[in-house]
Amino acid sequence: MSNKYSAMRTSLRTAAIMIIFTVVFTAVMAFTYDTTRPAIEASVQEEQMRLINEVLPPDSYDNDLLADVITVAGAQALGPDDVKRVWRARKSGEPVAMILEAAAGDGYAGRIAFIVALRGDGTVIGVRVTNHKETPGLGDYIDPKKDRNKKQPWISQFEGVRWSEVDRAKWAVRKDGGTFDFHTGATISARAMTGAIARAVAFGVERADALFSAESGSKL
């Protein structure tokens, strides 16, 4: 009985120690999360604004862009992912531009994520790739940071293009009878991006009223 009692007492002591450890560890993790969360959120917002500023001049709007955002679910025109964000830019309360989150699912190495800024008249202000796995030194020129032509990166050719001024069939690379340039030997990446940009721009133009009138924070 003595050995049995001793074993039970040891088991209870071990269980108690584990419970205490779990409680203390959880409390420490919760404290660490609460302490670091503001810095993490600030860092995320700073990165979002850095990307946004690359495609939309800060002096072109006066609203809080990160607060004036909605999400769009199940819009295949914006790519294969389920939910995308749309930031709305306004000046003196009037809509001036939107930034759409989109993706091409048919890049050479798979998904290519990007954002495109679009004026109210359907003019592309800028496009930036935000994530991709295209072949280094070959298809990654779609990202201006990787494009060797720093003076006029491939992605910059979309700037200033108005949706209504280019026939829908011409929103393609020249190899496919379209308007836009590509790099010889690396057509797939450019083709995927050009098609995805066309679909995103068409979605923004066709749904502009609904996108701008939706309540901030809502999901369409």
Side-chain angles (χ1 to χ4, degrees), residues 168-207:
R168 178 64 180 87
K170 294 293 185 180
W171 279 81
V173 294
R174 286 204 169 95
K175 186 174 183 179
D176 299 332
T179 300
F180 302 97
D181 289 329
F182 64 97
H183 287 195
T184 302
T187 313
I188 295 175
S189 304
R191 179 184 288 133
M193 272 298 294
T194 302
I197 292 168
R199 291 188 293 273
V201 172
F203 178 87
V205 170
E206 293 164 4
R207 300 287 301 278

Side-chain angles (χ1 to χ4, degrees), residues 50-207:
R50 184 190 67 77
L51 281 170
I52 287 170
N53 289 339
E54 287 187 21
V55 296
L56 184 65
D59 61 358
S60 64
Y61 62 94
D62 57 15
N63 62 318
D64 182 355
L65 211 61
L66 295 185
D68 200 343
V69 61
I70 59 173
T71 55
V72 180
Q76 291 301 307
L78 296 181
D81 299 333
D82 183 49
V83 177
K84 297 290 193 305
R85 290 171 292 183
V86 179
W87 295 269
R88 288 89 57 87
R90 308 175 197 268
K91 197 152 194 177
S92 301
E94 294 298 317
V96 292
M98 69 177 80
I99 299 171
L100 300 113
E101 202 171 39
D106 53 350
Y108 183 79
R111 181 180 181 275
I112 303 171
F114 65 95
I115 56 173
V116 53
L118 188 65
R119 294 191 198 283
D121 64 358
T123 300
V124 177
I125 306 170
V127 185
R128 284 296 181 278
V129 170
T130 57
N131 186 268
H132 74 91
K133 296 180 181 178
E134 299 304 276
T135 307
L138 188 62
D140 62 351
Y141 67 88
I142 58 173
D143 183 346
K145 296 190 295 293
K146 307 290 181 63
D147 197 328
R148 294 174 185 174
N149 186 349
K150 300 301 181 184
K151 194 171 184 180
Q152 193 172 5
W154 177 85
I155 202 79
S156 67
Q157 67 181 309
F158 295 96
E159 296 172 10
V161 178
R162 185 180 294 185
W163 177 253
S164 61
E165 293 180 352
V166 179
D167 185 87
R168 178 64 180 87
K170 294 293 185 180
W171 279 81
V173 294
R174 286 204 169 95
K175 186 174 183 179
D176 299 332
T179 300
F180 302 97
D181 289 329
F182 64 97
H183 287 195
T184 302
T187 313
I188 295 175
S189 304
R191 179 184 288 133
M193 272 298 294
T194 302
I197 292 168
R199 291 188 293 273
V201 172
F203 178 87
V205 170
E206 293 164 4
R207 300 287 301 278

